[in-house]
Amino acid sequence: MKKTYLTIMAMLLIAVFTNATFEGNGYSVGDYAIDFKLKGVDGKMVSMSDYSKANGIVVIFTCNTCPYSKLYEDRIIAINDKYTPQGFPVIAINPNDPKVQPGDTYQLMQQRAKDKGFTFPYLVDETQEVAKAYGATRTPHVYLLKKENNKFKVAYIGAIDNNHKSAEDASEKYLENAINALKAGKKVSTDFTKAVGCTIKWKEA
Amino acid sequence: MKNSALIIFLIAFSTYKVTGQKVEVIKFPELQQIINEDNADLKVINFWATWCKPCIEELPYFEEINRNYKKNDLEVILVSLDFVEQVDTKVKDFVEKEALASKLYLLDETDYNKIIDSIHTSWSGAIPATLIVDNRKNKKDLYERQFKEGELSQLIKTLIN
C-alpha cells in the first residue's frame, strides 16, 4: 500500500517536473508572431503594428540584472543603430517579475535605459504573456521576425553571437548573419541557436 | 605549561578554517568525461553561478543530498558558469563562505551553442539547470528550473528507490 502511494507520488512529481522543463512550447522558426501592446520606459505603448514600414523586427527578451544581458547591451545598441536604417529595428522586452527580481522594476528599467542610452524601445511584459507566447526561457533571448504578407514571421531564434565575453572575438554573429540573409532574400542558414542565460523570473503562483 | 599548550592548541584549532575545497577550471571535453563517468548510480550535475540568485537559493538542497547519500549511490557535482577571471576571487570566496562540500568545477567556455545540446537537447541554456544521470537506467534528465525546499530531496528519493 505504502509502496503504491510512493510510486504514484513519484510519477506525479516526475510529471510536474517534466512539464516545467517543456513549459510553453512557444514559437518555432516559420511561425507567425502575434502582435502585442506593451508599455515602454518612456510611458508610451508599443505594438508591432506601429512598425508598418519595417522589413522585420528584432525582438529581444532581456533585463537589467542578468550579467549575460549586461554583456550584450552595447551590442544590442549597435545592432539597433546599424539595422534600423536598413529596416530591422530592435524592440527589447523585459519579462522578469520585479517581485522575484527586485532589480527589474519599471523605475530601474527607466534608469538603465537612460544610463546606457538605449536607442530602442524597452518594454515591460507585466503579465509575462508575450514571453510565454514566444516561448522565451532566458535573458537575453532573440527572436528575429520578418515581415511577410503584413504579418511577422519568426526567422531566427537564439543568441546574438557565439561569444558573450567579447563581440570582437565572436566567430559567429548569428543575429547579424540572419538579418543579412533576410535582406538579401536568402534563407537563414543558422536559424536556431542556444546560449547560456538567466532564467526568466516567472511570477510565483 | 601543559595547560598553556592546550590553550594554544585550542585557539589554533578554533580559528582553523576548512579551506580544502578546490574549484577546478575545466573545458567542455573534461565536463563530458565527468558526466559520462559511471562512478555512482545517480549523478546530479547542477549548473549555477554566484551571480544567479535562484541558483544560490537552491544550492543548500544540493548540499543536503550530497551529505545524505553514500558516494557510490549518488554524486553531486556543482558546475559554476562564473567567468574564469573570477575563480580565485568571487567564486572561491563564495565557496568558503558557504562551506560548500560538493564537488566543484568551473566551466570555462564561450561558444555554448553546441555544448548546451550535447549536455541535453531539452536545455535552452538558462540557469539554474540540473542534469540528473541515472546510470542504472541509462537515462539523462534535464531540469531547467529552480528547486524549492524539499523538491530535490523528494525527487532523488523517488529516483534512487
Side-chain angles (χ1 to χ4, degrees):
Chain A
M1 182 59 206
K2 205 181 163 201
K3 203 152 193 193
T4 323
Y5 171 74
L6 260 173
T7 314
I8 292 167
M9 277 299 289
M11 283 165 74
L12 275 174
L13 260 171
I14 288 165
V16 166
F17 285 137
T18 316
N19 264 334
T21 314
F22 295 102
E23 180 180 356
N25 301 314
Y27 294 142
S28 305
V29 169
D31 288 347
Y32 287 102
I34 50 154
D35 202 357
F36 50 73
K37 196 170 188 178
L38 298 174
K39 190 167 80 170
V41 287
D42 59 358
K44 289 190 190 126
M45 302 302 285
V46 175
S47 296
M48 291 199 299
S49 56
D50 304 337
Y51 289 75
S52 54
K53 288 195 190 106
N55 300 320
I57 301 174
V58 182
V59 175
I60 305 180
F61 293 92
T62 188
C63 66
N64 287 350
T65 47
C66 176
Y68 279 81
S69 291
K70 287 186 194 164
L71 284 167
Y72 276 106
E73 282 172 332
D74 290 340
R75 279 175 258 188
I76 295 170
I77 294 169
I79 284 166
N80 183 58
D81 293 350
K82 180 173 173 188
Y83 287 100
T84 298
Q86 301 181 36
F88 289 88
V90 169
I91 297 178
I93 300 175
N94 187 337
N96 281 354
D97 180 8
K99 287 203 186 81
V100 182
Q101 178 51 270
D104 280 314
T105 61
Y106 183 65
Q107 285 73 21
L108 290 171
M109 280 175 64
Q110 290 177 312
Q111 191 62 48
R112 190 71 192 164
K114 200 175 146 211
D115 292 349
K116 289 300 295 183
F118 284 175
T119 50
F120 45 82
Y122 187 26
L123 314 178
V124 196
D125 183 13
E126 212 179 324
T127 61
Q128 306 187 316
E129 271 162 27
V130 177
K132 280 180 191 156
Y134 274 71
T137 59
R138 61 179 187 270
T139 55
H141 204 161
V142 177
Y143 291 77
L144 171 63
L145 312 177
K146 174 197 176 194
K147 175 98 85 41
E148 217 179 80
N149 308 323
N150 263 325
K151 285 192 277 187
F152 286 98
K153 192 175 183 177
V154 180
Y156 168 76
I157 300 174
I160 290 165
D161 58 36
N162 70 342
N163 193 320
H164 54 270
K165 283 188 185 171
S166 146
E168 290 81 53
D169 295 331
S171 57
E172 299 275 352
K173 296 192 187 300
Y174 304 122
L175 175 58
E176 289 202 42
N177 293 346
I179 301 172
N180 291 337
L182 293 185
K183 275 177 48 206
K186 288 185 194 153
K187 207 180 163 300
V188 176
S189 55
T190 302
D191 59 13
F192 182 87
T193 59
K194 290 184 175 182
V196 171
C198 307
T199 43
I200 288 176
K201 307 300 181 284
W202 301 109
K203 285 178 198 292
E204 278 166 3
Chain B
M1 182 58 202
K2 209 178 168 188
N3 266 347
S4 56
L6 186 68
I7 287 162
I8 288 167
F9 173 78
L10 280 175
I11 289 168
F13 192 77
S14 63
T15 55
Y16 174 73
K17 242 168 62 181
V18 185
T19 52
Q21 258 296 46
K22 263 191 267 171
V23 183
E24 196 185 324
V25 177
I26 55 169
K27 292 281 182 187
F28 181 58
E30 293 159 278
L31 177 65
Q32 267 183 315
Q33 278 178 14
I34 292 161
I35 292 171
N36 294 331
E37 194 193 350
D38 187 1
N39 61 329
D41 288 347
L42 219 55
K43 296 185 64 146
V44 179
I45 299 141
N46 173 250
F47 296 91
W48 69 290
T50 56
W51 46 257
C52 166
K53 192 170 149 253
C55 303
I56 304 299
E57 286 168 3
E58 66 172 5
L59 272 182
Y61 313 136
F62 289 90
E63 287 286 289
E64 180 192 333
I65 59 165
N66 181 58
R67 277 194 306 271
N68 291 350
Y69 290 92
K70 281 192 215 123
K71 278 273 171 286
N72 49 349
D73 290 338
L74 178 133
E75 187 182 32
V76 176
I77 298 157
L78 304 177
V79 181
S80 159
L81 298 181
D82 279 275
F83 305 128
V84 70
E85 295 78 13
Q86 297 179 324
V87 68
D88 288 322
T89 50
K90 223 178 149 191
V91 182
K92 279 192 182 152
D93 287 351
F94 180 85
V95 165
E96 280 187 22
K97 195 177 116 246
E98 301 295 321
L100 297 183
S102 304
K103 214 164 202 179
L104 294 161
Y105 296 98
L106 185 142
L107 181 61
D108 174 29
E109 289 287 356
T110 45
D111 191 350
Y112 276 102
N113 182 34
K114 286 185 188 75
I115 292 175
I116 289 164
D117 266 342
S118 317
I119 292 169
H120 202 288
T121 48
S122 75
W123 186 19
S124 89
I127 58 169
T130 302
L131 179 72
I132 300 188
V133 184
D134 191 331
N135 279 320
R136 293 174 307 180
K137 294 190 185 123
N138 211 4
K139 203 165 161 263
K140 280 185 195 153
D141 283 316
L142 193 284
Y143 301 86
E144 186 173 301
R145 61 190 293 278
Q146 177 187 5
F147 288 101
K148 302 284 182 187
E149 181 144 34
E151 286 179 347
L152 181 67
S153 57
Q154 188 59 44
L155 176 68
I156 296 301
K157 217 180 269 175
T158 61
L159 290 175
I160 222 151
N161 289 327

